[in-house]
């Protein structure tokens, strides 16, 4: 009996090996789990649930199979797939959770989140985030025809690649005080997030309490997950194709 947590697969048509790795992960690992949590940037981009593609259908089918077998699947938005909505979530049989969610598993209080909200030193990103999370801006974007949304999104991704190449590494990491504040606010023992692509388990002192921050790896050349069971919390890596 175990809970699996993944993030940052960045699924796209351009990276079929990652999609194959995800499908293998579902059939070989998640199928034996109690539940699956996906902490955002599951897709590399998302411009509306009406953008139906082969990839989206294939991924929805494999997640739906899990929930139909009694393995609930939960999703937290990332900075790339924040527009993923109820319609697609329903197709996957998954439940969308608030951007910060406290789990109580095997006696531990575990805060799960994507991680971009902890990167408060990147002011340009936080300004951008505030805009694209504004409900009326999202509503107008979603009313545009798909081909216009595609063109806008492509342009935004190109600009962003350039902008992030100009930023210092430290700016794109989490702010240590933001981590402490979040752990303290939820009185959590653990925090698990993705986003930074720096997989690790860090110790964090909150007041006089020892807490932990688990960071998931991005799925570039291998899979990464946290596995939580009564024994503890493990960060694992695995190949896309089983040996
Ligand atoms: C996702 C990121 C592109 C970072 C646009 C309103 C607006 C939503 C959108 C368009 C882009 C998501 C939805 C994408 C993440 C980028 C570039 C940088 C740093 C609007 C609401 F403003 F046009 F009205 N978008 N897409 N970036 O291509 O998936 O996270 S995206
Ligand atoms: Mn991210």
């Amino acid at each position: 009996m175990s809970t699996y947590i993944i993030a940052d697969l960045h699924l796209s048509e351009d990276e079929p090996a990652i999609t194959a790795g995800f499908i293998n992960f579902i059939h070989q690992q998640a199928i034996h789990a109690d539940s699956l949590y996906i902490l955002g940037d599951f897709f590399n981009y998302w411009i509306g649930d009406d953008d139906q593609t082969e990839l989206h259908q294939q991924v929805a089918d494999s997640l739906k199979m899990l929930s139909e077998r009694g393995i609930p699947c939960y999703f937290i938005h990332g900075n790339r797939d924040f527009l993923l909505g109820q319609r697609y979530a329903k197709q996957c049989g998954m439940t969308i959770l608030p951007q910060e969610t406290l789990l109580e598993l095997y006696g531990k209080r575990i805060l799960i989140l994507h991680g971009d909200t902890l990167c408060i030193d990147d002011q340009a990103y936080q300004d951008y985030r505030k805009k694209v999370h504004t409900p009326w801006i999202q509503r107008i974007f979603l009313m545009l025809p798909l081909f216009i949304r595609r063109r806008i999104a492509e342009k935004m991704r190109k600009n962003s690649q350039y902008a992030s190449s100009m930023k210092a590494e430290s700016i794109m990491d989490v702010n240590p005080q933001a981590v402490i504040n979040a752990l303290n606010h939820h009185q959590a023992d653990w925090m698990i997030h993705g986003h930074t692509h720096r997989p690790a388990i860090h110790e964090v002192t909150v007041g006089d309490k020892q807490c932990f921050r688990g960071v998931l790896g991005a799925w570039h050349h291998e899979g990464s997950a946290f596995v939580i069971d009564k024994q503890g919390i493990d960060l694992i890596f695995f190949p896309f194709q089983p040996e």
Side-chain angles (χ1 to χ4, degrees):
M1 303 312 257
S2 57
T3 299
Y4 275 75
I5 304 183
I6 58 173
D8 299 300
L9 284 76
H10 296 268
L11 295 174
S12 85
E13 273 86 6
D14 305 336
E15 302 267 10
I18 304 179
T19 307
F22 172 68
I23 307 267
N24 286 334
F25 164 78
I26 292 291
H27 287 95
Q28 279 148 33
Q29 302 190 73
I31 198 90
H32 304 296
D34 285 332
S35 56
L36 172 67
Y37 290 84
I38 303 172
L39 306 187
D41 288 4
F42 185 34
F43 290 98
N44 200 36
Y45 61 94
W46 197 269
I47 57 172
D49 292 2
D50 55 337
D51 181 23
Q52 286 169 318
T53 67
E54 190 96 14
L55 171 70
H56 298 164
Q57 192 58 54
Q58 196 185 1
V59 168
D61 289 345
S62 55
L63 284 173
K64 186 82 183 187
M65 181 276 294
L66 272 192
S67 60
E68 280 171 354
R69 285 182 167 235
I71 300 157
C73 179
Y74 303 95
F75 179 77
I76 292 180
H77 290 119
N79 56 294
R80 312 206 66 94
D81 48 17
F82 61 91
L83 275 189
L84 194 152
Q86 290 302 337
R87 173 172 158 191
Y88 186 68
K90 197 170 174 194
Q91 256 174 271
C92 299
M94 67 184 182
T95 306
I96 300 179
L97 299 174
Q99 66 181 37
E100 280 190 7
T101 297
L102 186 75
L103 304 180
E104 303 207 38
L105 290 174
Y106 311 100
K108 284 198 188 79
R109 292 170 66 84
I110 305 168
L111 181 66
I112 54 171
L113 68 169
H114 177 60
D116 59 323
T117 53
L118 299 169
C119 299
I120 56 173
D121 297 328
D122 189 345
Q123 192 57 50
Y125 170 70
Q126 294 300 333
D127 292 347
Y128 157 84
R129 185 180 194 280
K130 202 171 157 193
K131 281 187 198 114
V132 293
H133 278 259
T134 304
W136 69 265
I137 295 181
Q138 290 192 358
R139 274 201 303 276
I140 290 176
F141 181 76
L142 288 171
M143 281 164 60
L144 299 170
L146 258 176
F147 80 97
I148 305 268
R149 275 181 272 160
R150 260 188 218 113
R151 284 217 298 253
I152 295 173
E154 264 166 45
K155 204 165 225 146
M156 286 171 66
R157 290 201 299 278
K158 280 212 184 81
N159 289 341
S160 148
Q161 261 174 24
Y162 172 74
S164 61
S165 72
M166 307 294 282
K167 287 176 192 170
E169 285 285 301
S170 62
I171 282 182
M172 299 204 291
D173 204 351
V174 301
N175 175 286
Q177 191 58 48
V179 170
I180 293 170
N181 293 348
L183 283 164
N184 189 46
H185 178 78
H186 294 273
Q187 288 294 296
D189 306 301
W190 268 80
M191 162 188 289
I192 294 178
H193 68 81
H195 183 65
T196 60
H197 304 184
R198 300 172 204 213
I201 298 176
H202 301 275
E203 284 192 41
V204 187
T205 309
V206 180
D208 48 18
K209 187 167 153 190
Q210 273 309 110
C211 298
F212 295 92
R213 175 170 72 94
V215 188
L216 285 151
W219 291 39
H220 291 306
H221 303 290
E222 60 181 1
S224 169
F226 272 94
V227 185
I228 307 175
D229 59 21
K230 62 177 190 302
Q231 316 286 343
I233 302 183
D234 273 327
L235 174 59
I236 63 163
F237 301 92
F238 44 88
F240 289 151
Q241 298 293 343
E243 256 107 294

